[in-house]
């Protein structure tokens, strides 16, 4: 049994090793030059694979960007959850979740905006796009859970508020008005919207 399963294990390891090289190459080139200035051939050469092999893992640069950024966004969300657990106030806790995501998005502004475009308008059958949307859903879930803990919102209200906050965050990051905006400016804009949105709840008034 062990002998029969070994080739499958090797194949899977080889596939994962190639994917890791592709992602490392794409991550480095995208960070240095921006996604628009990098070709798939350059990525293949840096990953030391053939262009045909690259297309087995991703058909376009947009898909490659999703693969690379999904990993970064997922780590940013994990960090945000940890930071939020240390905050007692609703606004501060929600900002703790969103701030690492904003920082991830603005690490390379053109890449961040392209990522959002691919996430919203890319191929709906593409696995990396589905993963990106799942990260958005997990972000909303984290915000909703945090609002329940810090602002005492009931389930439906917390989920609805979390979706609005998530939408506000992504609009702020994607807006053409914020092309030159840095991390702090984007976070301040999101913070203002969160305070307005949560003011009725945190002040004891009607939502």
């Amino acid at each position: 049994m062990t002998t029969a399963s070994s080739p499958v294990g090797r194949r899977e390891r080889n596939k994962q090793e190639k994917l890791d090289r592709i992602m490392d190459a794409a991550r480095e080139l995208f960070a240095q030059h921006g996604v628009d200035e990098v070709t798939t051939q350059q990525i293949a050469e840096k990953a030391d694979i053939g262009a045909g092999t690259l297309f087995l893992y991703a058909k376009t640069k947009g898909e490659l960007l999703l693969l690379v950024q999904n990993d970064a966004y997922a780590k940013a969300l994990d960090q945000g959850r940890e930071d939020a657990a240390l905050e007692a106030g609703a606004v501060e806790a929600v900002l703790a979740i969103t701030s690492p995501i904003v920082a991830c998005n603005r690490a390379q502004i053109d890449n961040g905006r392209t990522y959002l475009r691919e996430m919203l308008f890319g191929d709906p059958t593409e696995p990396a796009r589905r993963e990106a949307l799942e990260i958005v859903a997990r972000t909303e879930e984290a915000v909703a859970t945090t609002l329940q803990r810090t602002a005492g919102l009931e389930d439906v209200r917390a989920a609805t508020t979390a979706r609005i906050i998530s939408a506000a965050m992504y609009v702020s990051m994607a807006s053409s008005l914020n092309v030159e905006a840095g991390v702090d400016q984007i976070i301040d804009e999101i913070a203002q919207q969160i305070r307005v949105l949560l003011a009725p709840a945190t002040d004891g008034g009607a939502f």
Side-chain angles (χ1 to χ4, degrees):
M1 182 178 294
T2 303
T3 303
S5 62
S6 294
V8 176
R10 285 198 295 272
R11 284 197 296 271
E12 291 304 314
R13 286 196 299 273
N14 288 338
K15 285 176 63 177
Q16 186 59 50
E17 288 171 1
K18 287 180 182 177
L19 178 59
D20 290 342
R21 295 208 308 271
I22 290 168
M23 290 183 64
D24 287 344
R27 184 181 295 110
E28 182 177 340
L29 290 170
F30 289 159
Q32 289 178 348
H33 308 291
V35 64
D36 290 338
E37 300 302 320
V38 176
T39 67
T40 53
Q41 182 62 42
Q42 288 173 317
I43 295 170
E45 289 176 358
K46 191 168 187 62
D48 194 26
I49 60 172
T53 300
L54 175 63
F55 289 127
L56 295 176
Y57 293 85
K59 298 179 180 65
T60 67
K61 285 193 299 180
E63 291 180 19
L64 279 170
L65 181 65
L66 285 168
L67 283 171
V68 170
Q69 295 285 68
N70 283 346
D71 183 58
Y73 275 66
K75 290 176 181 176
L77 175 57
D78 288 342
Q79 182 63 57
R81 282 173 167 158
E82 291 181 14
D83 295 344
L86 304 176
E87 298 289 348
V91 174
E92 293 76 13
V94 173
L95 284 175
I97 294 173
T98 58
S99 293
I101 296 172
V102 173
C104 178
N105 178 265
R106 309 309 276 188
Q108 217 288 356
I109 292 176
D110 288 340
N111 291 349
R113 287 167 58 80
T114 301
Y115 174 78
L116 296 180
R117 185 170 64 246
E118 290 289 334
M119 180 181 71
L120 291 172
F121 304 112
D123 181 355
T125 66
E126 211 290 302
R129 180 176 182 262
R130 289 199 299 270
E131 183 183 353
L133 294 175
E134 288 169 2
I135 293 170
V136 173
R138 293 202 302 271
T139 302
E140 292 177 4
E141 180 182 355
V143 172
T145 300
T146 296
L147 290 174
Q148 290 174 303
R149 175 178 65 84
T150 58
L153 301 188
E154 49 86 17
D155 291 358
V156 174
R157 185 175 171 185
T160 301
T161 305
R163 177 160 292 189
I164 295 171
I165 291 171
S166 175
M169 176 180 68
Y170 284 105
V171 167
S172 293
M173 292 190 298
S175 173
S176 58
L177 297 176
N178 290 334
V179 171
E180 302 298 328
V183 173
D184 290 342
Q185 290 172 280
I186 298 293
I187 291 174
D188 286 345
E189 182 175 303
I190 295 168
Q192 291 173 19
Q193 296 177 74
I194 294 173
R195 289 190 182 99
V196 170
L197 186 61
L198 294 183
T202 54
D203 291 344
F207 182 73

